[in-house]
Every structure is written in C-alpha cells, then in structure tokens.
C-alpha cells in the first residue's frame, strides 16, 4: 500500500515535469528565432500577420484585466459567504448551502461564456452605453462568479479551524458575533484566506472558454475592462484550433505564451506560499 501511494504521488510529479519539459523545449525553438527582449517589451502581438510581431504585453494586459475584475467580484462575495457559513449559519443551513455553492464549480466553462455573452453583456450595455458586445468586464464578472466556490469553501474551512476559545474570549470582552467574525476569526485565518484567493486567482488566469466567447480575441493593450481584448489562454485556443503547420514559428508561439503564463502562475504561488508562512498561526 505504501508503494502504491508513493507511485500515485510520483505520477503527479511526473505529469508536472512532463508538462514543464514540453513547454520549455518548444519555447526554446521559439526564442531561438525571436528575441526575449522583443517578446517582453514589444506592445504588438500579431504572430499570424504577414509582418509578425511577438510582444506578449497585449495578452498579459488582457489577462490581468479580466483577472482583476474576477477578483473584484469573487473576493468580497466569497469571503462574505465564508463568514456566514462559518459564524452565522446553522449546521443544517451550512450543509445545504455549501454543496449547492460548490455546484458552480461543476458548470462547464463554455456555459459560463455564453451566459456572459448573452445575459450579462446586454444588461451591462443598458448601464454602460457604447459597451462592445465582446468585453472583458462581463467576462471577468462571470469568471468571478465561477471562482466564488474556491474562495468561499477554502476560506470557510480556514475560519472553522480557528479555535473556539478565541471566539469565546472575544464574546467575553463584549464583542458581537459580527465584530468577532471580522476582528478575530478572519485575521486568525488570514493565511488560509490568502491561499484561497491565490488559488482563485490562478484559476481565473488560466480560464479559456469564458474569455474566448465573451471577451473577444483582439490582442491590444487593455487599459479598461470595458474594452475587448485577448488573453494568453484565448490566443492559445485560437491558434491551436487553426491550420498552422506543426513546428512553425507561429505554432511555437503558443508555447512561448504558455511559458509566460506558467511563470506568472508560479510567481503567484510563491507569493501565496510566502504569505502563508508569514502569517500562519499555530493553535
């Protein structure tokens, strides 16, 4: 049994190593012909044009903008849901709401995409005149709804792990349940909450179908969520479904974009690891 468990763990590590090897090896072929400096500093991304330009900045700005909108929706709502489930809901209510909430994570992302395009965008167009049919605002808002279960569930687990004695001490000092939740429980569970937010952020950064369907595929420098724009994952999906010959520079550009996304996600995970180590409390 111990050997079987070790094999399962080794298989997971092996899959990660294999993915990293493929992405890095294919990206090396791309960077053998395209300067890393151009890749990182140029503001034009047109790999499929006659005069191709390979500046990753437009894709990164689209990715960041959609992720920021998603976090602006998911973090406050997810934390409020977690606080309610942890501190106010009865056992029966919690056992009903939490599984129902987690069903949001089971909805196919292409459904979320068309929900954003056909339902959320028309509503936003009534509020914001001139909003294009494809925009990162509606895509980001729906991505935020999608990652609420990740943030709410993990944050609620972290809050429930806070010892009861800390709550009782707060009540003994005259604090209300709401004050105890915000001033005692949330600060004590901050390392778990940060981990939940980073996980939700990583999920939003790697989302593909929602931004492909509702966000548009125009690679431009994005300065407002009301613009349409392409993300890294949207470009990868666009090229992977095309007719580009295998091994060409244009084909290898999807691996370079994927490598940039991989490094970005890795940096966020390092930040989450540091924050958890920095603020973790031992009870």
């Amino acid at each position: 049994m111990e050997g079987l468990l070790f094999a399962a763990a080794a298989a997971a590590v092996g899959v990660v190593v294999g993915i990293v090897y493929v992405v890095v090896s294919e990206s090396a072929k791309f960077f053998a012909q395209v300067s890393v400096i151009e890749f990182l500093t140029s503001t034009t991304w047109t790999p499929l044009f006659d005069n191709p330009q390979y500046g990753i900045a437009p894709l990164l700005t689209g990715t960041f903008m959609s992720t920021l909108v998603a976090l602006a929706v998911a973090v406050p709502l997810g934390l409020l849901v977690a606080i309610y489930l942890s501190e106010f809901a009865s056992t029966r209510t919690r056992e009903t709401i939490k599984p129902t909430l987690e069903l949001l994570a089971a909805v196919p992302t292409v459904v979320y995409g068309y929900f954003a395009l056909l339902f959320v965008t028309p509503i936003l167009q009534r509020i914001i005149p001139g909003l294009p049919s494809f925009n990162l605002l509606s895509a980001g808002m729906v991505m935020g709804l999608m990652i609420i279960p990740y943030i709410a569930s993990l944050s609620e687990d972290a809050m429930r792990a806070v010892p009861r004695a800390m709550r009782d001490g707060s009540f003994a000092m005259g604090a209300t349940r709401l004050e105890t939740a915000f001033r005692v429980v949330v600060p004590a569970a901050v390392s778990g909450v940060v981990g939940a937010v980073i996980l939700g952020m990583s999920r939003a950064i790697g989302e593909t179908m929602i931004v492909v369907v509702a966000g548009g595929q125009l690679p431009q420098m994005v300065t407002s969520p009301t613009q349409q724009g392409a993300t890294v994952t949207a470009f990868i999906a666009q090229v992977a479904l095309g007719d580009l010959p295998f091994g060409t520079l244009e084909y290898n550009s999807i691996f370079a974009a994927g490598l940039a996304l991989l490094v970005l996600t890795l940096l966020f995970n390092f930040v989450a690891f540091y924050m958890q180590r920095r603020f973790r409390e031992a009870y």
Side-chain angles (χ1 to χ4, degrees):
M1 180 58 69
E2 183 178 351
L4 181 62
L5 295 175
F6 174 79
V13 175
V15 169
V16 173
V17 171
I19 292 174
V20 172
Y21 170 76
V22 170
V23 172
V24 172
S25 60
E26 294 295 330
S27 298
K29 300 176 183 177
F30 173 83
F31 289 114
Q33 303 181 59
V34 177
S35 169
V36 177
I37 297 177
E38 176 191 351
F39 183 74
L40 296 177
T41 60
S42 176
T43 58
T44 303
W45 180 263
T46 55
L48 306 181
F49 287 20
D50 292 335
N51 184 24
Q53 300 289 323
Y54 297 97
I56 195 67
L59 300 184
L60 292 181
T61 58
T63 300
F64 281 132
M65 187 61 68
S66 61
T67 302
L68 288 176
V69 174
L71 291 178
V73 172
V75 171
L77 290 179
L79 291 182
L80 290 176
V81 170
I83 290 171
Y84 172 74
L85 293 178
S86 174
E87 306 302 313
F88 296 93
S90 64
T91 301
R92 182 176 181 179
T93 302
R94 182 168 53 251
E95 291 177 351
T96 301
I97 293 178
K98 192 171 182 179
T100 304
L101 181 67
E102 292 175 350
L103 285 176
L104 289 174
V107 176
T109 56
V110 66
V111 175
Y112 278 117
Y114 281 103
F115 173 73
L117 179 64
L118 302 178
F119 182 80
V120 176
T121 296
I123 294 176
L124 292 177
Q125 286 175 329
R126 296 179 183 178
I127 302 173
I128 307 174
L131 183 71
S133 298
F134 298 101
N135 62 86
L136 294 175
L137 180 60
S138 62
M141 291 176 64
V142 174
M143 275 201 300
L145 297 177
M146 181 190 67
I147 63 176
I148 283 177
Y150 298 92
I151 296 177
S153 181
L154 294 177
S155 297
E156 191 258 347
D157 291 339
M159 293 176 191
R160 286 177 60 82
V162 175
R164 183 67 193 178
M166 296 185 65
R167 296 177 174 85
D168 293 338
S170 177
F171 295 147
M173 296 295 292
T176 64
R177 294 177 69 183
L178 187 63
E179 291 172 332
T180 300
F182 280 98
R183 298 186 180 182
V184 176
V185 176
V186 172
V190 67
S191 63
V193 172
V194 169
V197 171
I198 296 296
L199 177 62
M201 180 189 301
S202 300
R203 181 67 182 86
I205 288 175
E207 174 53 37
T208 303
M209 290 309 301
I210 295 177
V211 289
V212 168
V213 173
Q217 297 187 26
L218 177 63
Q220 62 177 344
M221 297 296 293
V222 177
T223 58
S224 169
T226 57
Q227 296 177 264
Q228 69 166 309
T231 64
V232 175
T233 53
F235 168 74
I236 293 174
Q238 176 188 6
V239 174
L241 296 177
D243 299 324
L244 291 178
F246 178 83
T248 60
L249 181 61
E250 293 79 6
Y251 179 84
N252 288 332
S253 67
I254 67 175
F255 293 97
L259 180 62
L261 193 63
L262 179 64
V263 172
L264 187 64
T265 306
L266 187 62
L267 290 176
F268 284 132
N269 287 332
F270 278 136
V271 171
F273 180 75
Y274 170 77
M275 297 289 288
Q276 288 177 324
R277 291 287 299 271
R278 174 69 176 79
F279 297 104
R280 176 172 293 172
E281 299 286 349
Y283 302 114

